[in-house]
Amino acid sequence: MPRLTYYGHACIGIEVAGGTQLLFDPFVTPNGLAKAVEVDAIPADYVLLTHGHEDHVADAGTILRRTGATLVSNFEIVCWYQQQGIEKAHPMNLGGGFDFPFGRVKYVNAVHSSVLPDGTYGGNPGGFVVEAPDCSFYVSGDTALHCDMKLLGDRHSLDFAVLCIGDNFTMGPTDAALAAEWAGVKRVVGVHYDTFPPIVIDREKAKSEFAKRGIELLLPAIGETIEL
């Protein structure tokens, strides 16, 4: 059974079968809501970045250097980090998949934008479908609702999804609930909300939007670990 730890904003860690630690979009140090999280204690064997915005990559370089983890992201982001001395990295692009030791990862479409902290073009934003021995799940990254999400339900048997729900910059709860239905999941971990004033949500209202479709929305506390 996979274990998910929420580190605030869109940063999550997921431990899959065999103890492999997957860390997505590390943004902790600049996040005032995540002051209690010790960045130097976050485990990572792989760091997966959905796109280049600072609120998804702020702590990536530090964590990659400390842990020796492998970076997985799109080609442009991987090249940018390689120029900064990150050698363990695996580039991907939309529609492509790769078999890692812990399972298969596919880089899937997201409708958003992407630029790295210094203004460098960040390539196409994306999400990830991970198929490990003990679970299969979708991490949306920052995205609008789009019809490609229907393909996720058609082509994968997903156990859960991690979806942006904060509105304004991404899907809000209503669109995210429909995305979950299309993807064929019954459990969703919500991310990318409450960090900044434009994305503060009504949590109970958000849960009700998912409940209307028979889907459970989980909103773990920052630093909390849950089993899925």
Side-chain angles (χ1 to χ4, degrees), residues 13-178:
I14 298 179
E15 180 182 347
V16 297
T20 301
Q21 299 282 351
L22 310 180
L23 182 66
F24 295 81
D25 290 352
F27 171 78
V28 179
T29 304
N31 182 3
L33 300 181
K35 290 179 180 178
V37 175
E38 296 183 23
V39 176
D40 290 341
I42 296 175
D45 296 304
Y46 293 83
V47 174
L48 298 93
L49 303 179
T50 61
H51 65 293
H53 289 163
E54 187 172 13
D55 62 325
H56 293 256
V57 307
D59 294 298
T62 299
I63 292 171
L64 286 163
R65 292 182 179 91
R66 173 179 59 82
T67 62
T70 299
L71 169 65
V72 180
S73 191
N74 69 33
F75 179 80
E76 289 81 3
I77 290 174
V78 165
C79 288
W80 189 78
Y81 275 98
Q82 287 176 328
Q83 291 170 4
Q84 299 179 46
I86 300 298
E87 296 181 357
K88 291 181 66 176
H90 184 94
M92 303 190 75
N93 217 322
L94 293 175
F98 187 80
D99 293 322
F100 292 92
F102 63 86
R104 184 167 179 81
V105 175
K106 188 172 184 179
Y107 191 60
V108 297
N109 192 35
V111 178
H112 195 59
S113 58
S114 181
V115 63
L116 287 150
D118 67 354
T120 301
Y121 171 58
N124 291 315
F128 295 101
V129 172
V130 177
E131 295 176 318
D134 61 336
C135 62
S136 179
F137 59 90
Y138 166 51
V139 177
S140 71
D142 285 7
T143 185
L145 179 70
H146 57 85
C147 287
D148 283 8
M149 293 168 174
K150 293 181 179 179
L151 296 175
L152 300 177
D154 291 342
R155 303 193 64 187
H156 302 278
S157 180
L158 300 170
D159 297 302
F160 63 92
V162 179
L163 304 180
C164 51
I165 61 171
D167 215 353
N168 195 74
F169 299 112
T170 70
M171 298 186 293
T174 302
D175 281 357
L178 180 56

